[in-house]
Amino acid sequence: MRHFAIVGAAIIASISAFDTEAAVSREAALEAAIENAGIPKRDIFNLKVEPDEESGVAVYSIEFETEYGDFDFCVARSDGRIINADTEVDEAWIRRQPDIRNAEEAIRNEVVRRVPGASGDQIRLRREGERFEGLLWHEGFKYEFEADARTGIISDWNAEMRR
């Protein structure tokens, strides 16, 4: 698993009133989002965690930034599932990262890490010059992503629940 590291970023939380109807706490929802993003907590700033609704599902809307990207998640308050995600990693930051030997394998491994129960052979990847474009349908969710062909870093990730 590839972790990003920028030292010294502070966490600033904007959390609204306590939500008594949630089975999943704000803290657990935030942990799920951070784990899915694959980043250390110390890199996060401009954090917002708020109760919301997404496609008729009660969620925590979670947004945060790092020096290398922006991350948005909707985590179901009933069971902690991530039902929507949108992340964008800065291209200039990616260009400064080292090459890896097998980017396609690294991309498949990262997608499987982010999508519990998925397997690498379910992922459709297409090389487009210096990038890979990918698609995965799994358990009612559509995952679309772009990744750097040199580093294997996913630069754009979108997960959306489809009914």
Side-chain angles (χ1 to χ4, degrees), residues 8-21:
I11 295 178
I12 301 170
S14 169
I15 299 177
S16 57
F18 182 75
D19 183 4
T20 58
E21 297 180 22

Side-chain angles (χ1 to χ4, degrees), residues 138-153:
H138 185 69
E139 295 184 356
F141 288 82
K142 180 182 181 184
Y143 302 90
E144 294 180 290
F145 54 93
E146 293 180 12
D148 184 75
R150 183 182 59 78
T151 64
I153 295 173

